[in-house]
Amino acid sequence: MIRLLIRLLIALAANAVGLIVAALVLSGVDIDVTGFIVAIVIFTVVDALLQPFLASQFRRRGALALAAAALIATLVSLIVTDLISDGLSIDGTGTWIAATVIVWIASFLAAFILPFLGLRKYLEERRD
């Protein structure tokens, strides 16, 4: 149960990093500070539900298809978050495409880097 919570926290933090990077890089992506937490939660839930489903559909087609499935999940998660939440707003077709790629890459990298920035130390201390 603790591992599930840790994975959830990492996913939330990684997605927050991805959305923040997209907002910093793209002028058409706006984040509202008051609704940002809700936006992160919505994005993470939708992405967590779509990723396994799309991955299972694309699995037999190779690694490139799995990357495409992840990008599709990110785009759909951004659309749903934009529609439901006041914490995220994206304007322009090019911005949608760029935001999808930026959020996907930044979230992916953050999901690998964040555990090394203190989480591993915390877990090692708990084991001792």
Side-chain angles (χ1 to χ4, degrees), residues 77-98:
S77 299
L78 285 171
I79 292 169
V80 170
T81 303
D82 184 48
L83 291 173
I84 294 177
S85 165
D86 291 332
L88 177 69
S89 175
I90 303 175
D91 297 319
T93 305
T95 306
W96 276 99
I97 294 167

Side-chain angles (χ1 to χ4, degrees), residues 60-77:
R60 294 184 181 160
R61 296 187 178 124
L64 188 58
L66 286 175
L71 282 167
I72 292 167
T74 302
L75 176 62
V76 172
S77 299

